[in-house]
């Protein structure tokens, strides 16, 4: 993200902030409860540490923070799948925007959607983007994506199912 330029910094700051919240939970006195997704959900729900209706006493619960990252993972899955099947003349900005509109956008306010869509227009073309990924030739990038995407999908599915079981998919 950093190598894509400062226009992406408002996006990466939010990601870093949310990851930091999760790290702080893991390093806290109840860190052992944050070793797995399942133990985190159980611990926070059993101890009323999640704001279920509106943001109030627990704006940084692990459950709501991870939900934002989980939704972002869906964007990543869609974007990488588009990259995997792209051709030389495919545009990264279009692939990224389409993936965003089909995932994260529905959860974002108008102003965030506009800012994100503008940032996507500044993405480098496909060839330069692949170089930024620093994986090697186009064939090597595609091979890496073929290997990586199923793991991303699996993590997404497990989280989605767990959150569905506990009615956590719309946390404020
Ligand atoms: C093989 C590598 C290929 C590409 C690698 C890209 C790696 C991307 C890593 C992180 C992506 C950005 C994470 C953004 C997290 C957004 C979480 C979120 O939804 N936050 C919003 C809601 O939070 P709360 O207010 O409820 O706490 C928040 O309002 C959003 C703020 C920032 C805007 C987010 C725009 C998201 C765009 C997603 C993708 C952009 C990446 C483009 C680069 C390829």
């Amino acid at each position: 993200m950093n190598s894509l330029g400062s226009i992406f910094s408002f996006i990466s700051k939010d990601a870093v902030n949310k990851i930091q919240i999760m790290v702080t939970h893991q390093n806290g006195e109840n860190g052992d409860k944050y070793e797995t997704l399942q133990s985190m959900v159980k611990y926070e729900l059993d101890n009323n540490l999640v704001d279920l209706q509106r943001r109030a006493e627990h704006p940084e619960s692990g459950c709501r923070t991870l939900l934002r990252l989980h939704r972002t993972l869906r964007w990543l899955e869609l974007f990488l799948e588009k990259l995997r099947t792209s051709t030389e003349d495919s545009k990264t900005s279009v692939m990224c925007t389409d993936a965003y509109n089909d995932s994260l956008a529905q959860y974002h306010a108008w102003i965030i959607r506009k800012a994100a869509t503008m940032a996507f227009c500044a993405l480098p073309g496909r060839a330069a983007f692949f170089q930024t990924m620093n994986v090697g030739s186009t064939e090597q990038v595609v091979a890496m994506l073929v290997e990586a995407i199923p793991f991303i999908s699996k993590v997404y599915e497990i989280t989605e199912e767990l959150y569905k079981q506990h009615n956590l998919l719309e946390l404020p």
Side-chain angles (χ1 to χ4, degrees):
M1 289 287 287
N2 292 339
S3 58
L4 291 172
S6 54
I7 195 167
F8 288 93
S9 62
F10 83 104
I11 298 177
S12 59
K13 264 190 201 147
D14 191 64
V16 168
N17 180 34
K18 285 178 169 47
I19 291 165
Q20 191 54 54
I21 291 171
M22 298 310 296
V23 170
T24 303
H25 282 307
Q26 281 199 314
N27 292 340
E29 57 180 307
N30 294 304
D32 57 317
K33 310 291 191 313
Y34 288 84
E35 267 176 24
T36 71
L37 204 56
Q38 291 77 4
S39 64
M40 175 190 79
V41 167
K42 181 170 174 19
Y43 167 68
E44 289 198 343
L45 288 180
D46 287 354
N47 291 281
N48 297 319
L49 295 173
V50 187
D51 291 335
L52 297 171
Q53 305 299 337
R54 58 184 177 83
R55 285 188 84 175
E57 288 163 53
H58 307 290
E60 298 197 339
S61 70
C63 286
R64 71 93 56 194
T65 303
L66 195 119
L67 176 62
R68 271 62 186 173
L69 296 172
H70 167 66
R71 290 168 177 166
T72 306
L73 193 66
R74 176 67 179 152
W75 159 79
L76 187 65
E77 180 187 18
L78 294 177
F79 179 50
L80 295 183
E81 179 58 21
K82 287 176 193 297
L83 276 181
R84 183 185 74 77
T85 54
S86 64
T87 56
E88 256 175 57
D89 52 358
S90 303
K91 288 192 182 322
T92 44
S93 55
V94 173
M95 293 187 273
C96 190
T97 306
D98 288 349
Y100 176 72
N101 287 338
D102 290 344
S103 56
L104 266 178
Q106 60 186 299
Y107 304 105
H108 287 165
W110 181 87
I111 188 77
I112 298 283
R113 291 202 304 270
K114 289 292 153 201
T117 309
M118 276 172 64
F120 300 154
C121 292
L123 279 173
R126 180 177 178 267
F129 192 84
F130 280 180
Q131 269 182 1
T132 307
M133 286 169 73
N134 205 17
V135 175
S137 66
T138 299
E139 291 71 26
Q140 285 170 309
V141 171
V142 171
M144 181 278 282
L145 293 176
V146 166
E147 198 182 333
I149 292 170
F151 288 107
I152 293 176
S153 307
K154 191 73 195 163
V155 171
Y156 181 84
E157 275 167 30
I158 290 170
T159 311
E160 181 78 6
E161 189 49 42
L162 182 71
Y163 269 56
K164 199 183 283 175
Q165 276 170 16
H166 293 277
N167 232 351
L168 297 176
L169 282 169
E170 299 297 332
L171 288 180

